[in-house]
Amino acid sequence: MNRKSIIIIGGGLGGLFTGALLAKEGYGVTVLEKNAAIGGGLQTFQRAGVTFETGMHILGGLRPGASISKICQYLGIYDQLQLRDVDHDCIDSITYSSSHKTYRIPEGREAFTNYFVSEFPHQEQGIRQYVESLYRLADEVDMFYLRPADGSLYAHSEQFLWPADELIAYYIEDVRLRDILAYMNPMYGGVAGHTPAYIHALINVLYISGPSRFVGGGQQLADALARKIEEGGGRVIGGEQVVALHVGDDRQCTAVTTAKGNDYRADYYISAIHPSRLVDIADGGAFPKSYRQRVASIPNTYSAFTVYIKFRPGAFPYINHTCYWQDDFGHVWQHGEYDPADCGWPHGFMYMTPPTTGQWATTMVVNCLMPFSAVAQWADTTVGHRGKEYERWKQHVVDRIFLRMEQLHPGFSQCVEHSWSSTPLTIRDYYNQPDGALYGIRKDCQNIMLSQLPIWTKVKNLLLTGQNVNLHGICGVPLTAVNTVEAIIGQGKLLQKINNV
């Protein structure tokens, strides 16, 4: 057993997956999480006797044989997870109020293709070529399929770094179909002219292949990963926020200090928090000025306003897939914008009823994209002390969303027993994300090198992991964890073990 020690800053999905993999490799792992509850976006919370998920609502890559299921099987935790597949004949539905039309997207490459051909027969050739391009681009990302790779951005096809909206338009002439095929924007923070085509392709291929959902919430995955770390002799400590990273003159990290005044030392240190937060807590000489400026200049993804709803018993039917709503075509790339004077806002959102037993839903979560600028006037406030004006604004936003839901499902308001809401400030403060960035730093095909951070940092024994390095979400973060672990144990070694299970 290799008893070299590792300290991981941040106990979210990235920190826990990285820690569990290193613990299985024999390293002594200590995970330090600022919140009392571990898990980050896997966390759940309770209100009025029901449980809500904070972030991990839809899961790709967990079907048997898929990449993340293989990693979980290697760790020995896959059988501990309670999962439910969404409807195979409708993984997502998209409703446009302007045309009173709902599109029901089926699972599987062939079924996905044939469905859109049936809806838009005049675009058949373009649809088939578009779907082919999605899978071709995804296949260029070796790690997506747990294949060893050098990670070079220069070894890819021309379309790899096209803007995602231009990729769609290249194959699709019908402007309505272009809009529909971009419906997954809320899943990856899509921005027209900036989001790379490969991000769009990976997310689409991931979910076309079949999404799942947690039964009982994502905390079960966080707890399973924590147990794996503890079984290896490690520790996962909540309520221990790292506030200082100490670096010697030789550019080696020597210790971290927490808000409670505790010092922790190790051979390696891994940051699973936003890079700008890491730079903020590091000693002044830890990173050169150029690195600090680079990190500060990387744009972040937009944030979200979320409504959590508890239904009256037997009032609202359970829906076993994610629902997307848009008021009209032409807004899909602007959902992250917010204008308080726009009486038509919101122009789109996604909603879902978490898995339950029987035909009736117990709860619902409504996610509405929103920039941090919408709450900037309360940026200096803290949780529970934001003032009455903030609470009135939140209720105004909830009322707007409920108005839209009432149009979609007449009588909706009468089905609701209680509702709560969170804002970009909530995401900022609980997830420690600057500007409440929902998916961390934004990948930008106009300056891809700016938004690509290597796993190794300028500090010799300090590495990065988590959603800000490569890809976000339930698929991207564990794959980045594999990359981080292999930076320590040797390239290709962990992948070979995972694929041999």
Side-chain angles (χ1 to χ4, degrees), residues 362-441:
T362 304
T363 60
M364 174 182 282
V365 178
V366 185
N367 276 335
C368 190
L369 300 179
M370 178 179 281
F372 189 78
S373 59
V375 294
Q377 60 183 303
W378 299 289
D380 295 330
T381 62
T382 57
V383 177
H385 304 281
R386 307 204 194 277
K388 292 183 179 180
E389 184 179 353
Y390 173 76
E391 295 300 327
R392 284 194 294 269
W393 172 80
K394 281 211 306 180
Q395 187 58 52
H396 175 66
V397 175
V398 171
D399 290 344
R400 285 191 174 192
I401 293 172
F402 269 45
L403 178 63
R404 296 298 196 180
M405 290 300 301
E406 191 72 33
Q407 294 168 353
L408 282 164
H409 302 278
F412 178 82
S413 299
Q414 283 67 47
C415 300
V416 177
E417 185 174 304
H418 295 291
S419 69
W420 304 265
S421 60
S422 65
T423 77
L425 290 171
T426 316
I427 297 172
R428 181 197 67 176
D429 294 342
Y430 280 97
Y431 292 168
N432 199 23
Q433 290 288 322
D435 297 339
L438 197 58
Y439 304 120
I441 63 176

Side-chain angles (χ1 to χ4, degrees), residues 48-181:
V50 294
T51 299
F52 291 99
E53 290 184 296
T54 58
M56 210 59 65
H57 307 293
I58 312 162
L59 315 171
L62 277 167
R63 296 285 182 88
S67 298
I68 309 309
S69 68
K70 286 184 178 180
I71 297 174
C72 290
Q73 287 169 343
Y74 169 73
L75 288 171
I77 64 172
Y78 186 76
D79 292 339
Q80 301 173 28
L81 304 179
Q82 299 180 52
L83 303 170
R84 178 184 296 177
D85 293 350
V86 301
D87 295 330
H88 300 294
D89 62 343
C90 182
I91 59 173
D92 293 314
S93 65
I94 316 160
T95 298
Y96 287 85
S97 291
S98 60
S99 62
H100 304 288
K101 171 75 174 179
T102 296
Y103 298 90
R104 296 173 57 84
I105 316 301
E107 174 187 316
R109 178 176 179 173
E110 184 177 356
F112 180 92
T113 303
N114 291 339
Y115 174 78
F116 281 110
V117 168
S118 69
E119 291 287 338
F120 297 88
H122 62 290
Q123 290 277 255
E124 177 174 1
Q125 182 178 359
I127 292 169
R128 296 191 183 280
Q129 291 174 340
Y130 164 74
V131 175
E132 174 65 28
S133 75
L134 293 181
Y135 281 82
R136 185 178 65 253
L137 292 175
D139 191 60
E140 291 185 36
V141 183
D142 290 311
M143 181 56 73
F144 188 67
Y145 296 101
L146 295 175
R147 301 190 303 250
D150 62 8
S152 172
L153 286 170
Y154 302 104
H156 295 290
S157 65
E158 178 189 357
Q159 288 186 334
F160 195 78
L161 292 178
W162 280 13
D165 54 315
E166 291 185 16
L167 178 79
I168 298 172
Y170 181 78
Y171 295 104
I172 306 299
E173 296 178 356
D174 191 303
V175 293
R176 294 176 305 150
L177 181 54
R178 289 179 184 177
D179 202 86
I180 297 166
L181 293 174

